């Protein structure tokens, strides 16, 4: 009884049993199956369970299962990240100076590129300062503000923004700053999920396949026209914008030349 009182139960329907079972298992409490006999009810007797309740129970079992430190959603998120990185390689040469807006704590793109470029620069809220190499230069910067990026104008060959814009309230400012720091002829390479990805990502977050904190932090989902309009407001010309859908239309990439 004391154990049950200390478990935070949030379910209010049939998945209560799945949540309790999962959370007791997470505490290391042994669960013993005991044989019973019963007379099943049918609809005429008031039975209310339908097939959708079975699906809900399965999802609840997945949701409340114990996750290791290296949870499954990190593996899937890493795979998605690698797919975005591979889309960059055709645009990067050995002479490219690159800025990664929203580089992440571990600035994984910089490590992915390694010494294939002379200089990698990254900005994000929080950055691991302990694993840099000679060609990696990163700075902690509040991306969701009206402050300029900590760089001079017209110094980067490529600016990348991979799955970042949807996290920003100040996305207009971010695009304007990107335009400012790009060299004439430089390129912005941007990816962001489409509106139809929203229910899919939220479902995957619910069942623990993608990081729920990342999905909860999405401020908006851009359709093509909205995204192109914001790029033009930032100074990019319509004729220099290339738009591509990928991952079955759930994601989109923009390559735009300054």
């Amino acid at each position: 009884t004391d154990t049950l009182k200390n478990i935070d139960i949030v379910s209010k329907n049939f998945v209560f049993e799945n949540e309790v079972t999962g959370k007791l298992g997470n505490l290391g409490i042994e669960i013993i199956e005991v044989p019973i006999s019963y007379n099943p009810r049918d609809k005429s007797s008031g039975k209310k369970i339908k097939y959708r309740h079975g699906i809900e129970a399965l999802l609840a079992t997945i949701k409340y299962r114990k996750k290791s430190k290296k949870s499954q959603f990190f593996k899937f998120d890493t795979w998605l990240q690698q797919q975005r990185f591979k889309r960059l390689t055709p645009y990067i040469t050995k002479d490219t100076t690159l800025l990664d807006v929203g580089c992440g704590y571990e600035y994984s793109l910089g490590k992915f590129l390694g010494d294939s470029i002379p200089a990698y620069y990254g900005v994000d809220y929080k950055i691991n300062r302990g694993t840099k190499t000679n060609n990696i230069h990163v700075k902690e910067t509040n991306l969701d503000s009206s402050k300029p990026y900590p760089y001079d104008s017209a110094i980067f060959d490529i600016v990348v923004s991979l799955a970042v814009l949807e996290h920003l309230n100040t996305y207009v400012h971010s695009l304007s700053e990107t335009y400012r720091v790009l060299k004439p002829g430089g390129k912005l390479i941007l990816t962001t999920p489409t509106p139809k990805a929203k229910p899919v990502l939220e479902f995957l977050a619910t069942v623990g396949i993608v990081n729920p904190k990342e999905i909860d932090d999405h401020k908006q989902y851009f359709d093509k026209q909205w995204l192109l309009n914001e790029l033009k407001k930032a100074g990019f010309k319509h004729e220099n914008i290339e738009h591509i859908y990928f991952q079955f239309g759930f994601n989109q990439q923009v390559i735009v030349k300054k």
Side-chain angles (χ1 to χ4, degrees):
T1 303
D2 290 338
T3 301
L4 288 174
K5 287 181 178 178
N6 290 326
I7 296 176
D8 181 25
I9 303 297
V10 297
S11 300
K12 300 183 184 299
N13 52 20
F14 289 110
V15 302
F16 167 84
E17 294 93 337
N18 304 79
E19 180 182 358
V20 171
T21 302
K23 290 183 174 179
L24 287 175
N26 291 346
L27 295 173
I29 296 174
E30 184 179 3
I31 298 174
I32 300 173
E33 292 187 65
V34 179
I36 62 170
S37 60
Y38 68 100
N39 294 316
R41 295 185 301 163
D42 56 22
K43 289 183 179 179
S44 64
S45 302
K47 184 176 181 179
K48 299 180 179 65
I49 293 180
K50 300 179 180 179
Y51 74 91
R52 68 177 178 83
H53 295 117
I55 296 174
E56 291 173 359
L58 175 61
L59 296 179
T61 301
I62 296 171
K63 179 178 180 180
Y64 296 113
R65 77 191 190 281
K66 185 175 182 179
K67 297 181 176 65
S68 64
K69 290 183 179 179
K70 291 185 177 180
S71 185
Q72 187 66 36
F73 63 68
F74 287 116
K75 296 178 183 178
F76 189 74
D77 282 354
T78 299
W79 178 83
L80 289 175
Q81 184 184 70
Q82 292 295 315
Q83 299 307 303
R84 290 191 290 266
F85 290 174
K86 289 177 181 178
R87 299 187 70 85
L88 293 176
T89 53
Y91 306 97
I92 295 174
T93 70
K94 62 180 181 180
D95 300 319
T96 297
T97 299
L98 181 146
L99 172 63
D100 186 2
V101 176
C103 62
Y105 182 72
E106 295 289 351
Y107 33 95
S108 300
L109 177 59
K111 296 174 183 177
F112 175 82
L113 295 172
D115 58 3
S116 65
I117 60 173
Y120 165 92
Y121 295 82
V123 287
D124 214 326
Y125 299 99
K126 192 173 183 181
I127 290 173
N128 181 358
R129 298 178 177 274
T131 58
K132 289 184 289 184
T133 59
N134 291 334
N135 70 323
I136 291 180
H137 314 277
V138 291
K139 292 183 179 181
E140 290 188 351
T141 304
N142 181 3
L143 299 177
D144 208 3
S145 75
S146 58
K147 294 181 179 179
Y149 292 163
Y151 302 106
D152 294 334
S153 300
I155 61 171
F156 294 107
D157 299 301
I158 288 180
V159 176
V160 300
S161 175
L162 306 180
V164 173
L165 210 63
E166 65 272 14
H167 294 277
L168 303 179
N169 289 307
T170 58
Y171 56 85
V172 176
H173 174 73
S174 177
L175 292 173
S176 298
E177 278 299 287
T178 296
Y179 185 86
R180 179 182 68 80
V181 301
L182 271 173
K183 294 178 181 178
K187 291 182 178 179
L188 164 64
I189 302 173
L190 177 155
T191 69
T192 188
T194 61
K196 80 175 190 176
K198 184 177 186 291
V200 176
L201 290 172
E202 289 176 349
F203 169 76
L204 294 177
T206 300
V207 299
I209 295 176
V210 298
N211 191 333
K213 290 184 179 179
E214 289 290 323
I215 305 307
D216 287 345
D217 189 54
H218 286 184
K219 307 296 193 302
Q220 59 273 317
Y221 290 80
F222 295 89
D223 63 29
K224 178 182 177 180
Q225 195 57 52
W226 183 10
L227 185 57
L228 298 186
N229 288 340
E230 299 306 328
L231 286 165
K232 286 187 281 186
K233 289 178 186 177
F236 295 102
K237 295 182 179 179
H238 178 77
E239 59 267 25
N240 293 333
I241 300 174
E242 178 185 357
H243 181 277
I244 302 167
Y245 290 112
F246 66 103
Q247 292 176 345
F248 307 104
F250 294 116
N251 224 324
Q252 56 191 322
Q253 175 178 278
V254 168
I255 305 100
V256 53
K257 183 178 179 181
K258 180 176 177 180

